[in-house]
Amino acid sequence: MNDLSPITSRRRWATLAVACLAALLLSVDVTVLHLALPQLVADLRPSSTQILWIGDAYGFALAGLLITMGNVGDRIGRKRLLLVGAVAFGAASAVTAYAPTPELLIAARVLLGVAGATIMPSTLSIIRNVFTDPKERTTAVGLWSGMGAAGFALGPVVGGLLLGRFWWGSVFLINLPVMLLILLVGLVVLPESRNPAAGRVDLVSVPLSVIGVIGVIYAVKEAAVHGLVTGGVLVPGVVGIAALALFARRQTRLAEPLIDVRLFGRRAFTASVGANLVAIFGMSALSLIFAWYFQLVLGWSPLRAGLAGLPGGMSAAVGGVLAAGLITRWGRARVVALGLALAAAAFACYSQIALDTPYLYFLAPMIVCGVGIGLTFTVTNDTVLASVPRERAGAAAAISETSFELGGALGIAVLGSVLTGVYRGELRLPAGLPGEVAVPVGESLPTALEAAATLPGQLGEAVAEAARTAFVTGVEVTAITAAVTIAVLAAVSLVSLRGVPDVIPEELLAEPHRSPAPGEGAPAS
């Protein structure tokens, strides 16, 4: 049963506020852990493997269950699923904050990921169902995308402020009052919506999708550390790809599939998902790299480094707001291409940094990049939602979010490998360096600076300077690689999204299993 018909304008925007608050908190939760890890490690003493799982468990559970939870929301109601997820997220946050052992902390992070998977597609699918006017919907998606981007930038700032006064668990306790607010306000203002014709969730498709997504993302992450030709990469990679192939084949034979794979035959849908993936591909790696640059090359505190990244997140919110008006003037293809071109130009500027580059040099490209990414994510997310009937909004939102998670993993793996390869190739160590020190110095900049701190005076300074120089050269190459990749995507998007109408007619979407002809619908521009 849906209760959308009597909804007022005030209630629509209140619904958007709840959805944006949830998106903001989930984004903050992704990045806030980075700053908490040193205190956490000192307190719980996890092993090196446990440290990796503490960081990755949330993302694996989240990515693996997005498709399933998006479909569950379509069936049982998006409001119900979001509110249940809010309660679960708050409870898991409390367990995480007070976890006494690494094992319990990892389990709590898994629960956080499961809860997050119920919330993320629910917020976007609720927006799709509440905002039936296409222009209003695009504006709403822009604000939602902007809040998500702002959350990534706010995470380090919030973490820096809390960790300066409290213990590491405080970065998770901030979730409790926010989730309580979402629950109380959501009960009153959120309208319920679901797919009235949905059947049962296929119990074979669920594990196939989970195994497939987690297997591929795990293989990508392992490849960044151990290279491609290892058992830890090939086995999960092959299993994941095989599971996804079986999953896709099964969907074509089900009356009510988890994902209508024929949607990928729609040019607008496929191009938007691809643009999302590649855009976050560049952003995820560069955000981590510049966190290292500000702290380990320039010597800034975590809080100062977090504040330095705020203009990028805030400008992404601006780009999201601007997107709706630009679509009307220029069409979807040109707006996405513009957004990606702005991001590519910013990365090209980043390729010119040095050991002592002033912050003002970063500021303009950061703002330009933020606006570009805000434009891109808004248009692509809106196009994905506009390409399906409202009844299938949860499944479509889950596909978009899964591409986001996969793009982030690929960015860290591919661009991180480029950075590591250049760093090792450019590293020039002073003569007479002990072998037990040379190994960690050759791994990465953080381990190199730790090793250099154990060396006497001038030798330690020389090693640190060599490591920083090699790292900056690696950043230059990585940035230009990202710039070229995103520029190519901009050109592809200009072609692949050409002719996609500004407003996709609802009557076209009423047949979710039929792929439209390439020229179907009035071209935008």
Side-chain angles (χ1 to χ4, degrees), residues 34-46:
H34 297 162
L35 294 182
L37 269 177
Q39 286 189 21
L40 186 156
V41 170
D43 185 18
L44 299 184
R45 302 291 181 184

Side-chain angles (χ1 to χ4, degrees), residues 232-306:
V233 173
L234 294 177
V235 172
V238 170
V239 170
I241 291 171
L244 288 178
L246 290 173
F247 172 80
R249 182 183 180 188
R250 185 172 180 82
Q251 302 317 293
T252 63
R253 302 181 177 185
L254 294 175
E256 287 295 332
L258 285 189
I259 291 178
D260 181 8
V261 294
R262 294 176 181 84
L263 283 172
F264 288 96
R266 293 179 175 174
R267 184 158 40 86
F269 186 90
T270 303
S272 296
V273 171
N276 251 347
L277 189 150
V278 176
I280 193 61
F281 170 91
M283 289 298 297
S284 59
L286 267 295
S287 63
L288 176 62
I289 288 169
F290 282 113
W292 284 8
Y293 179 86
F294 288 138
Q295 294 180 67
L296 302 180
V297 176
L298 299 184
W300 291 0
S301 68
L303 177 58
R304 187 180 179 188

Side-chain angles (χ1 to χ4, degrees), residues 6-7 20 30 35 46 87-88 98 126 175 184 187 225 228 250 271 300 304 307 321 479 495 509:
I7 191 168
C20 285
V30 170
L35 294 182
V87 173
Y98 292 103
I126 286 173
N175 297 339
L184 295 178
L187 281 169
V225 179
L228 288 173
R250 185 172 180 82
W300 291 0
R304 187 180 179 188
L307 289 170
V321 173
V495 175
L509 304 180

Side-chain angles (χ1 to χ4, degrees), residues 366-378:
M366 189 184 300
I367 293 172
V368 168
C369 184
V371 171
I373 292 299
L375 290 173
T376 301
F377 284 157
T378 298

Side-chain angles (χ1 to χ4, degrees), residues 63-147:
L65 288 170
L66 280 170
I67 293 173
T68 298
M69 292 303 181
N71 279 271
V72 170
D74 285 341
R75 286 163 169 80
I76 72 169
R78 292 111 185 180
K79 173 182 177 178
R80 179 183 297 177
L81 186 64
L82 189 151
L83 296 181
V84 169
V87 173
F89 199 90
S93 297
V95 175
T96 303
Y98 292 103
T101 65
E103 293 82 4
L104 185 56
L105 178 59
I106 292 170
R109 292 282 290 166
V110 171
L111 292 177
L112 274 175
V114 173
T118 69
I119 295 172
M120 288 180 71
S122 296
T123 59
L124 201 51
S125 56
I126 286 173
I127 290 173
R128 169 68 174 95
N129 277 268
V130 169
F131 289 90
T132 55
D133 178 77
K135 290 184 179 180
E136 279 196 347
R137 186 197 61 234
T138 304
T139 301
V141 172
L143 290 168
W144 179 89
S145 300
M147 290 298 282

